[in-house]
Amino acid sequence: MKEKELNYIDHLEELRKRLIICVVAFILFFIVGFIFVDDIYRWFVRDLEEQLIVLGPSDIIWVYFTIATVISFAGTIPVVALQIWQFVKPGLVPKERKVTLAYIPALFVLFIVGLCFGYFVILPTMFNFLTGLSSGMMELSFTVDKYFKFIFHMTLPFGILFELPVVAMFLTSLGIINPYVLTSIRKYAYFVLIVISVLISPPDLMSDIIVSIPLLVLYEISINLSKVVYRRKLRKENSSGEAEETSI
């Protein structure tokens, strides 16, 4: 009983240590983002013809904190993934440790790819479409908070959702899911992804369609990558089983 209590305390202490590291990393990245807010802001508005306006001093603070938080969030992702791996590592066999460690850089890379896809593909398409609706009808002017909220709504969800293939591969490699499960729940997953696309896109049908299609494609990619990992996993298990029979 005492040993179980000690193990429980050790696990809590280890979890506390990992959480502290994540929080410190978030704060450090936040400070870096805050220092370079001016450069980041100018980069985001470099192609904007209209001058952004603010409705009060609080909007300026909002821009600083929001940009710094997004930078901090992006930079902390690999740190969090590494700390999760460090926490679960003692319960994994050497092969599982090697497999899970390989997915950590992939999480960060796909997050950046998702952000770039949202910013360079989805954002300009949506922006040009929506601003085109007002052509000849009204004069356009954007507030800072509305403009940056629009940017983040069009980019951050894709940064997160682009990690779906890696998560599917990771869970398949651990035996938690397999491609047959992903295929069987496809219609439910489609429904959830379409709901997400409606929530993150502006309230018009064309925007919903433009955002929905990449998410559905991502799910299909996840299924196919899960199949690759699953077949490789079965081959390794079969070869190891044959090797054991031969040795016997």
Side-chain angles (χ1 to χ4, degrees), residues 3 62 68 85 88 94 114 200:
E3 291 182 359
W62 182 91
W85 181 79
V88 302
I200 66 177

Side-chain angles (χ1 to χ4, degrees), residues 47-80:
D47 297 326
L48 192 63
E49 296 178 0
E50 297 80 8
Q51 183 71 31
L52 295 180
I53 61 175
V54 293
L55 301 179
S58 60
D59 287 353
I60 302 173
I61 299 297
W62 182 91
V63 170
Y64 271 78
F65 275 88
T66 302
I67 293 178
T69 300
V70 172
I71 297 300
S72 181
F73 180 74
T76 308
I77 284 180
V79 178
V80 172

Side-chain angles (χ1 to χ4, degrees), residues 23 28 30 34 47 65-66 104 132 169 179 194 196 201 210 236:
V23 171
L28 291 176
F30 182 87
F34 203 88
D47 297 326
F65 275 88
T66 302
I104 292 177
M169 293 173 66
I194 290 173
I196 291 174
S201 62
I210 292 174
K236 287 182 180 180

Side-chain angles (χ1 to χ4, degrees), residues 17 88 98 120 160 175 220 226 239:
K17 175 184 174 183
V88 302
K98 185 178 179 180
F120 292 108
I160 297 171
E220 292 301 321
S226 178
S239 61

